[in-house]
Amino acid sequence: ECEDIDECATANGNCQHICTNKRGSYECSCRAGYTVSSTDSSRCVDINECTQSLGSPCAQFCTNTDGGYTCSCRPGYRVRSSDAKTCEDIDECLNNPSPCQQICINTDGGYSCSCNPGSQVSPTDNSKCIGVDPCNGNPCAHKCTPNGNSYTCSCRSGYKIKDVTKCEDINECTQSSGSPCAHNCRNTDGGYECYCKTGYRVRPGDITKCDDINECNNKPSPCQHICTNTGGDYICSCNDGYEISSLDKNKCQAKSDPCKNNACEQDCAVSGSTAKCICDRGYSVSKKDPNKCDDNDECLKKPCQQHCQNTIGSYTCTCDPPLYAPRNNKTVCIDPGPDPCNVEPKCKQLCKLTSTGRMCYCNDGFVINEEDDRFCDEIDVCEARADIILIFDASKSIGVDKFNNQFVFAIKLIKNFNVESDNIRFGGVVFSEVAKRLFNLKDYDTQAELTKALTNVTYMNSVTFTHEALLLVDREEMFSSEKGGRADAPKIILIFTDGSPSLRTNATLAANVLKNKRVSIIILAIGQGSDLKVRDLYSIASSQDDVLLATDYDSLDTVEKKLTSKMCTASSRQG
């Protein structure tokens, strides 16, 4: 009887892993995770569980090992402790420290970071938070300014906020504070444009202001004869014997008025549609011939205390020597005595000898009393506010000595006004055939400076073209702020003259231009000669009361007080 040999008892049957004896044979097998080699039944090779046809045993990643395999998970997951084949999500937000600077939100297999209000995730590190720019995205129409977690919208110049974020154009031309333009205003998108009325142009350097265009400076002149510039326009006038054409305001035609070619001996005035001859002071229309003027014999009314000598157009009083007529009353006679200045009644302040006797005069700050030339009245310094332009006649009828007397009197006159306080400002003009500006209102602000400016003025010795002085004041805008004028100060012109203007019509027109601009015109008329026609001066002055008379240049002191009062009253009245 045969006995089975147990091949497994020797060298494990030469099996690599497990040997199983069988009757008359044996069989090699392998441990779990291995399989018998197809080329050597005694050998075992590893089974790759990760590539089995039934699929990977792992939920995510499978890694084959010698005799087995290992399951692993993607980032954000880990192998489940209860089932090594499956994966569970890792909640990174539970880490300490948290992976996020502010807010951590766990997600399947990962996490995301977010930020508190007012912050946002950094574009360079999504775990960090940076401040939010509330202006990001341009929420405002023009300008955006961050304000904490919010923002404030503003607009460019010329616009205003509308509905918080929008801007709308401001119409500067219709603001409650008034138009920014001196004349006309045109609104534009974000701004405005100024433009001027006809006859004006925009001032260089200040587009809101308008300057008058002096059309009279054009070449050729717009007027055939005389051009007078006015604010925004001009006025044409004509030489004597001509009038403005009815067809063209710039042209002149020969006059066809009732006084044309009149037969009047002296002067003619229009009354309605007829001419009437009139006479100068000291004359009367002749009863025999209405075209003639007869001299009035004033001596018939016995105006003189002693002797009356009728003259053509006037009269002269004389006294038996050594009697003399006082300066303020040429009709009476006074005994001067051996020393006129020491004879009672004496001059109360100052006395000087003249060819006709004595003359009383006063210290600065005083003037001769109008009723009795022995007395001096103290002048109250005028504290009114005014801009005053002094116009001096330098025509040939005056003569150089009397011309200079005007300035001596003017220097005394201005001391009656408060110059140093800047209440009163003076300008100066001298004229004859042409006019010349001596100084502007802004040039001098002390009595000493004005005195110097009124000393050694050149005598012109020509015709009396009063209109040239008035035109110069208007043309050069001597009352303007650029020349020292003040908008709140009354404007006054004082004219010193000894005769009627050579071109009366021109002077009247030029004066009217200034009077229409609220300029008061006062005239100091000096003398009694035939050259002085007071009626002509009435048409230039603001009123007949604004024409003051002095009998001669030696008697100017007698009108000083009245003239000061007149100028001071004009300042108060106009202001």
Side-chain angles (χ1 to χ4, degrees), residues 8-37:
C8 294
T10 303
N12 196 36
N14 205 31
C15 293
Q16 184 179 4
H17 282 184
I18 303 170
C19 179
T20 303
N21 186 56
K22 291 185 178 183
R23 191 171 181 80
S25 185
Y26 68 95
E27 183 179 45
C28 291
S29 61
C30 299
R31 295 192 296 273
Y34 296 86
T35 187
V36 175
S37 171

Side-chain angles (χ1 to χ4, degrees), residues 501-545:
S502 299
L503 298 176
R504 183 183 62 181
T505 301
N506 294 0
T508 301
L509 288 172
N512 287 340
V513 170
L514 290 167
K515 287 187 284 188
N516 288 337
K517 296 181 179 180
R518 301 193 65 197
V519 177
S520 296
I521 299 178
I522 300 172
I523 299 176
L524 175 56
I526 308 163
Q528 293 181 335
S530 60
D531 285 343
L532 184 60
K533 298 181 180 179
V534 178
R535 184 176 60 256
D536 293 349
L537 302 179
Y538 287 161
S539 64
I540 299 172
S542 294
S543 70
Q544 290 189 18
D545 290 338

Side-chain angles (χ1 to χ4, degrees), residues 475-495:
R475 182 173 61 251
E476 294 195 4
E477 298 181 337
M478 291 186 67
F479 285 109
S480 68
S481 58
E482 289 82 357
K483 302 297 175 64
R486 296 161 295 180
D488 63 338
K491 305 173 183 64
I492 300 172
I493 288 176
L494 172 60
I495 302 175

